[in-house]
Short mmCIF file of all heavy atoms in Angstrom, two decimals:
data_model
loop_
_atom_site.label_atom_id
_atom_site.label_comp_id
_atom_site.label_asym_id
_atom_site.label_seq_id
_atom_site.Cartn_x
_atom_site.Cartn_y
_atom_site.Cartn_z
N LYS B 298 18.88 20.65 35.58
CA LYS B 298 19.07 19.98 36.93
C LYS B 298 18.89 21.06 38.01
O LYS B 298 19.80 21.19 38.85
CB LYS B 298 20.27 19.25 37.05
CG LYS B 298 20.26 18.10 36.03
CD LYS B 298 21.35 17.08 36.25
CE LYS B 298 21.27 15.76 35.36
NZ LYS B 298 21.74 15.96 34.00
N GLY B 299 17.76 21.60 38.26
CA GLY B 299 17.45 22.50 39.38
C GLY B 299 16.82 21.88 40.47
O GLY B 299 16.83 20.69 40.64
N PHE B 300 16.05 22.74 41.22
CA PHE B 300 15.32 22.17 42.50
C PHE B 300 14.29 21.22 42.03
O PHE B 300 14.13 20.15 42.71
CB PHE B 300 14.80 23.40 43.20
CG PHE B 300 13.94 23.06 44.35
CD1 PHE B 300 14.69 22.64 45.45
CD2 PHE B 300 12.62 23.08 44.38
CE1 PHE B 300 13.95 22.27 46.71
CE2 PHE B 300 11.96 22.88 45.60
CZ PHE B 300 12.57 22.38 46.67
N GLY B 301 13.41 21.47 41.04
CA GLY B 301 12.44 20.64 40.69
C GLY B 301 12.97 19.20 40.34
O GLY B 301 12.48 18.24 40.69
N TRP B 302 14.02 19.23 39.49
CA TRP B 302 14.60 17.99 39.05
C TRP B 302 15.18 17.22 40.22
O TRP B 302 14.92 15.99 40.31
CB TRP B 302 15.71 18.40 38.10
CG TRP B 302 16.40 17.17 37.53
CD1 TRP B 302 16.04 16.54 36.28
CD2 TRP B 302 17.51 16.37 38.07
NE1 TRP B 302 16.89 15.41 36.15
CE2 TRP B 302 17.91 15.38 37.07
CE3 TRP B 302 18.36 16.61 39.13
CZ2 TRP B 302 18.82 14.44 37.31
CZ3 TRP B 302 19.37 15.75 39.23
CH2 TRP B 302 19.68 14.80 38.41
N THR B 303 15.68 17.88 41.17
CA THR B 303 16.25 17.24 42.44
C THR B 303 15.14 16.68 43.13
O THR B 303 15.18 15.43 43.56
CB THR B 303 16.90 18.28 43.36
OG1 THR B 303 17.69 19.09 42.51
CG2 THR B 303 17.63 17.53 44.33
N LEU B 304 13.93 17.26 43.36
CA LEU B 304 12.86 16.87 44.05
C LEU B 304 12.30 15.48 43.36
O LEU B 304 12.04 14.45 44.04
CB LEU B 304 11.67 17.79 44.04
CG LEU B 304 10.54 17.63 45.06
CD1 LEU B 304 9.85 19.05 45.42
CD2 LEU B 304 9.42 16.85 44.51
N VAL B 305 12.20 15.50 42.12
CA VAL B 305 11.75 14.36 41.25
C VAL B 305 12.67 13.21 41.54
O VAL B 305 12.30 12.05 41.75
CB VAL B 305 11.53 14.65 39.77
CG1 VAL B 305 11.31 13.44 38.99
CG2 VAL B 305 10.35 15.55 39.63
N SER B 306 14.00 13.49 41.45
CA SER B 306 14.95 12.43 41.52
C SER B 306 15.05 11.84 42.93
O SER B 306 15.13 10.72 43.14
CB SER B 306 16.27 12.75 41.06
OG SER B 306 17.00 13.58 41.90
N ALA B 307 14.80 12.78 43.93
CA ALA B 307 14.85 12.27 45.33
C ALA B 307 13.72 11.39 45.58
O ALA B 307 13.76 10.32 46.13
CB ALA B 307 14.85 13.51 46.25
N ALA B 308 12.53 11.84 45.07
CA ALA B 308 11.22 11.02 45.27
C ALA B 308 11.34 9.73 44.50
O ALA B 308 10.90 8.70 45.03
CB ALA B 308 9.99 11.76 44.80
N GLY B 309 11.93 9.73 43.29
CA GLY B 309 12.12 8.51 42.55
C GLY B 309 12.99 7.49 43.09
O GLY B 309 12.86 6.42 42.98
N ASN B 310 14.12 7.97 43.73
CA ASN B 310 15.09 7.14 44.30
C ASN B 310 15.00 6.90 45.71
O ASN B 310 15.82 6.26 46.30
CB ASN B 310 16.50 7.66 43.94
CG ASN B 310 16.66 7.82 42.48
OD1 ASN B 310 16.32 6.85 41.69
ND2 ASN B 310 17.29 8.92 42.04
N ASN B 311 13.80 7.34 46.38
CA ASN B 311 13.69 7.04 47.71
C ASN B 311 14.67 7.55 48.67
O ASN B 311 15.19 7.02 49.56
CB ASN B 311 13.57 5.49 48.06
CG ASN B 311 12.90 5.11 49.27
OD1 ASN B 311 12.10 5.94 49.84
ND2 ASN B 311 13.50 4.17 50.01
N ASP B 312 15.18 8.79 48.23
CA ASP B 312 16.36 9.48 48.92
C ASP B 312 15.64 10.31 50.11
O ASP B 312 15.32 11.47 49.90
CB ASP B 312 16.99 10.35 47.98
CG ASP B 312 18.32 10.92 48.46
OD1 ASP B 312 18.48 10.85 49.79
OD2 ASP B 312 19.20 11.29 47.79
N ILE B 313 15.32 9.76 51.27
CA ILE B 313 14.41 10.26 52.16
C ILE B 313 14.86 11.67 52.75
O ILE B 313 14.13 12.55 52.71
CB ILE B 313 14.33 9.26 53.38
CG1 ILE B 313 13.61 8.05 53.05
CG2 ILE B 313 13.52 9.95 54.54
CD1 ILE B 313 13.41 6.99 54.05
N GLN B 314 16.15 11.70 53.03
CA GLN B 314 16.76 13.04 53.62
C GLN B 314 16.55 14.15 52.64
O GLN B 314 16.29 15.21 53.02
CB GLN B 314 18.10 12.91 54.10
CG GLN B 314 18.42 11.93 55.20
CD GLN B 314 17.70 12.17 56.52
OE1 GLN B 314 17.63 13.44 56.70
NE2 GLN B 314 17.58 11.31 57.30
N LEU B 315 16.91 13.87 51.36
CA LEU B 315 16.92 14.91 50.39
C LEU B 315 15.42 15.26 50.12
O LEU B 315 15.10 16.40 49.96
CB LEU B 315 17.57 14.30 48.99
CG LEU B 315 17.72 15.31 47.99
CD1 LEU B 315 18.47 16.62 48.37
CD2 LEU B 315 18.36 14.73 46.72
N LEU B 316 14.50 14.24 50.07
CA LEU B 316 13.10 14.46 49.80
C LEU B 316 12.58 15.46 50.91
O LEU B 316 11.83 16.40 50.71
CB LEU B 316 12.33 13.30 49.57
CG LEU B 316 10.84 13.42 49.21
CD1 LEU B 316 10.71 14.18 47.99
CD2 LEU B 316 10.26 12.13 49.12
N LEU B 317 12.97 15.11 52.17
CA LEU B 317 12.54 15.90 53.24
C LEU B 317 13.00 17.37 53.11
O LEU B 317 12.25 18.33 53.39
CB LEU B 317 13.02 15.25 54.57
CG LEU B 317 12.13 14.18 55.09
CD1 LEU B 317 12.83 13.47 56.31
CD2 LEU B 317 10.77 14.73 55.65
N GLY B 318 14.22 17.55 52.79
CA GLY B 318 14.85 18.77 52.66
C GLY B 318 14.12 19.63 51.60
O GLY B 318 13.77 20.80 51.77
N CYS B 319 13.90 18.90 50.43
CA CYS B 319 13.16 19.61 49.36
C CYS B 319 11.77 19.99 49.76
O CYS B 319 11.25 21.08 49.50
CB CYS B 319 13.05 18.65 48.11
SG CYS B 319 14.55 18.46 47.29
N SER B 320 11.09 19.13 50.51
CA SER B 320 9.69 19.47 50.91
C SER B 320 9.76 20.72 51.95
O SER B 320 8.88 21.52 51.85
CB SER B 320 9.12 18.32 51.73
OG SER B 320 9.50 17.15 51.20
#
Side-chain angles (χ1 to χ4, degrees):
Chain B
K298 297 192 171 86
F300 179 72
W302 184 88
T303 313
L304 196 150
V305 169
S306 73
N310 296 318
N311 195 36
D312 193 343
I313 295 179
Q314 299 291 337
L315 185 58
L316 185 58
L317 275 170
C319 286
S320 322

